[in-house]
Structure formats: C-alpha cells, structure tokens
Amino acid sequence: MAYEGSGRKKAVVLCVGQVVTDHTFRVDEVELPPSKTTARGYALSVGGMAANAAIAVVRLGGSAVFWGRVGRDEAGEELKHILEAEGVDAQGLLMAEGARTPLSAVIVDKRGERSIVTYRGEKLPTDPSGLPLDRLAEAGSLLCDPRWPEAAELAFRAARERGVPSAMDAEKSEERVLRQLVPLTDHAIFAKTGLSIFAPNVPPEEGLARALAAGPLQLAAVTLGEKGTLWRTPGMERAATRPAFPVDATNTTGAGDVFHGAYALAIAEGQALEDALRFASAAGALRARDGKTPDRAMLEELLAGETDQPSVRARRKA
Ligand SMILES: Nc1ncnc2c1ncn2[C@@H]1O[C@H](COP(=O)(O)OP(=O)(O)O)[C@@H](O)[C@H]1O
Ligand SMILES: [Mg+2]
C-alpha cells in the first residue's frame, strides 16, 4: 500500500466538483415551520462533496488535487486558504470575478442527523476548457461529483482515454446530469436520493442494474448510511451488502463525501473492490462518529478490530 510511512510514493487522487462554505448549527430538534430555534453550537468549515473528499484523501495518506469553482469574494478566498491548509493542491480552484461562492446551512440534531440547505452560488463559470487535464498523468484515480457537470464530463472522458480509473459521487442532482455522467465513470457510487432520481420508482437493486447497463462500469453502488452499502459488479448475479461499521453517530454530515474520497484513494492505491468498499465504509463510519475526517492510523485501527465486532463475537459464540 502506498501511504505515508510505507516509504513509497503517495497515491494521487484528482477531485472535481463542489466546494462550499458550511455553516453548521447544532440544535436539539429540527422544528417544522413556522419556528424559531436556538442553536447550541455553530461552526464554519469547508464543505462540498469533492472538497470534503479531497481533504479525506490527504488525511488518509494520499495526495489530493482539487478542481472546483468559487467567486473571487471573501468566502472564496477563505475556502482556498482552508483547502491549502489541509494540504490539498488547490491551484485548480477557479476564482471567478463577479461570481458568488456557494454556501450551505447545515442543521444537525442531537441524534447527529442533519438537514442541509445549499445555495449553489451565482455566475460560476461553466466552461472547463482551462483545466490542466495533463495532471491526470500523475493521478492514480479521478473522483467527480455532479456539481460541475461540464468539468466532470471532460475529466471522465480524459481519464477513460488515459486509463486512469474514475469514481463518481452520484448525489442528488438533476436527472439529466446523472444520466450524462454515470456512463462515463468506472465506479458509480450513488447516494440514496441520487439513485432514485437516476432510476425512479424501482428498488435500489434494479437501479444498480440500470446503472451497470448504462456504460462500461466496473461497479455500481448506493450508500445507505448506517445500513451500509449495496453494491454490484457486472459479473455478479445480484447486489451484495457491505455492512456499515457500527458506531454511535454524532454528526453524519460529510460521511458520504469522506466515503467517496476514501474509496477513490483505495482505488488509486490498487486495492481490490471489496477492500476499497471496506476501507471507505470505515472512513465514513469514523466521520459519522466523530463529525471529523479520520486519519489513516484511526482507520487502520478500526479495520484491524473488525473481527472483534459484537456481531462477529455473537456469531462465534453461537
Ligand atoms: N451512522 C453511521 N454509522 C456507520 N456508518 C455510517 C453512518 N453514516 C454513514 N456511514 C458510512 O458512510 C457511508 C455513506 O453515508 P451516507 O449517509 O449513505 O451518505 P451521504 O452522506 O452521502 O448521505 C455509508 O455507506 C456508511 O458506510
Ligand atoms: Mg453524499
């Protein structure tokens, strides 16, 4: 494995898509409107699927290059600063004059479950033609979310041409965008809502089958929070479940983003599919438990202890 401490070169993941300022409010209950609620806590941080994934890649011992877009405003400068402080290569962050940086209000209740309102910004440039596609030469994998579809399409096509494996965070998005991008990636990993938009009114198993039929995919999967991840490859007769690691969740915000970053890193490191799913599940669980992205040592510890899970112990006793 090529991670810090192994003496070998770090695996590089190119992450393309969303970066937003997250304003997180902690409340006891999310009240239905009309309502007024006092927050028990507040924090400002970097959010966005691809940005969170890039930070996860670095914490987990890889290198991350991030391509996204913000406004040339105070929030945009701050996001660039935070990404760089996290060790992410953010040279490819487009800062557009006259555009407004996206932001989210994240409301987290006492069970750690969250509601998010996202403002996707204004006048963000769509043209991806200035992106330095040559950087794919150093990448072990590519990860795109659907929030800059023009860039994702360009990067997915270039990656496929060059034989760089790619993964997609197929989150809730316009149906048109999911249909456009899913066939272009190798590993389509949906969020629950993303899959129900891609394949409406069918069970998730059928949704995954449709994703596999849409293009030359190696894997289609859907993450289901504490219920784990349902996944399937073209060679499998039916979908299988990779269980989640049992944790006490305090804040599930970003669990999916971190899952995807970890998965893309595992692929870049050459891990087998099932190992990559396990690695990613451990990363998502730790993020949900701590509300913070774990480092590699924490993740390895959770992986090493998996045989010691209560469920496994119970099975051994039986
Ligand atoms: N409460 C949790 N306990 C354990 N693992 C979790 C929990 N929430 C998320 N995860 C892990 O993270 C993955 C992604 O989380 P999920 O909530 O499905 O994504 P998203 O944040 O995009 O909605 C899950 O498949 C699971 O492996
Ligand atoms: Mg998600």
Side-chain angles (χ1 to χ4, degrees):
M1 260 182 289
Y3 74 94
E4 215 170 358
S6 71
R8 269 189 278 158
K9 228 171 155 252
K10 291 183 185 185
V12 179
V13 180
L14 172 58
C15 302
V16 181
Q18 190 189 32
V19 59
V20 310
T21 309
D22 271 358
H23 297 267
T24 303
F25 302 84
R26 304 211 63 120
V27 300
D28 287 337
E29 298 290 342
V30 177
E31 309 277 354
L32 288 173
S35 67
K36 281 185 181 174
T37 308
T38 302
R40 303 218 168 270
Y42 167 82
L44 187 150
S45 59
V46 60
M49 295 164 260
N52 274 338
I55 291 171
V57 166
V58 174
R59 297 250 179 110
L60 294 173
S63 293
V65 177
F66 178 74
W67 294 350
R69 38 189 193 150
V70 293
R72 187 169 289 287
D73 51 17
E74 212 177 312
E77 299 282 356
E78 179 67 11
L79 287 175
K80 182 163 195 194
H81 176 77
I82 299 175
L83 283 171
E84 284 174 345
E86 287 282 351
V88 173
D89 178 338
Q91 285 173 63
L93 181 68
L94 238 65
M95 303 187 82
E97 217 62 65
R100 289 179 75 190
T101 298
L103 65 88
S104 291
V106 183
I107 325 282
V108 184
D109 73 13
K110 61 172 182 281
R111 286 168 297 277
E113 233 3 297
R114 86 294 196 213
S115 305
I116 306 181
V117 181
T118 300
Y119 164 70
R120 288 197 192 171
E122 262 164 65
K123 300 202 176 99
L124 295 170
T126 53
D127 180 10
S129 59
L131 291 171
L133 288 174
D134 286 354
R135 297 211 65 181
L136 274 168
E138 64 192 276
S141 70
L142 165 71
L143 173 70
C144 300
D145 72 40
R147 292 291 177 269
W148 188 5
E150 296 83 2
E153 170 160 7
L154 187 74
F156 278 146
R157 289 192 190 281
R160 191 158 273 173
E161 212 167 274
R162 289 163 211 231
V164 176
S166 73
M168 175 172 176
D169 185 345
E171 256 289 357
K172 181 177 180 184
S173 185
E174 295 83 348
E175 185 181 346
R176 165 187 61 80
V177 169
L178 293 174
R179 291 199 177 280
Q180 168 198 0
L181 295 179
V182 166
L184 301 178
T185 191
D186 302 327
H187 305 256
I189 306 184
F190 291 85
K192 205 174 167 190
T193 339
L195 185 59
S196 60
I197 294 170
F198 179 80
N201 306 317
V202 297
E205 290 80 359
E206 175 58 21
L208 296 185
R210 290 190 192 174
L212 288 178
L217 272 67
Q218 289 179 32
L219 170 128
V222 57
T223 66
L224 303 167
E226 62 190 16
K227 296 200 184 93
T229 307
L230 191 68
W231 63 283
R232 188 171 168 185
T233 65
M236 286 159 65
E237 261 175 43
R238 61 178 63 86
T241 298
R242 159 68 237 186
F245 286 80
V247 294
D248 290 323
T250 63
N251 182 356
T252 60
T253 317
D257 309 341
V258 168
F259 180 101
H260 286 85
Y263 186 88
L265 175 62
I267 295 298
E269 289 180 353
Q271 294 189 36
L273 288 189
E274 281 189 71
D275 294 334
L277 286 165
R278 185 167 171 264
F279 185 83
S281 301
L286 290 172
R287 169 79 183 201
R289 187 189 73 184
D290 302 340
K292 282 196 302 208
T293 301
D295 64 23
R296 185 73 174 236
M298 291 164 68
L299 193 149
E300 298 286 355
E301 193 185 314
L302 185 62
L303 290 178
E306 196 186 14
T307 47
D308 234 44
Q309 273 181 47
S311 58
V312 177
R313 277 203 302 272
R315 246 180 281 139
R316 255 194 247 125
K317 271 189 205 148

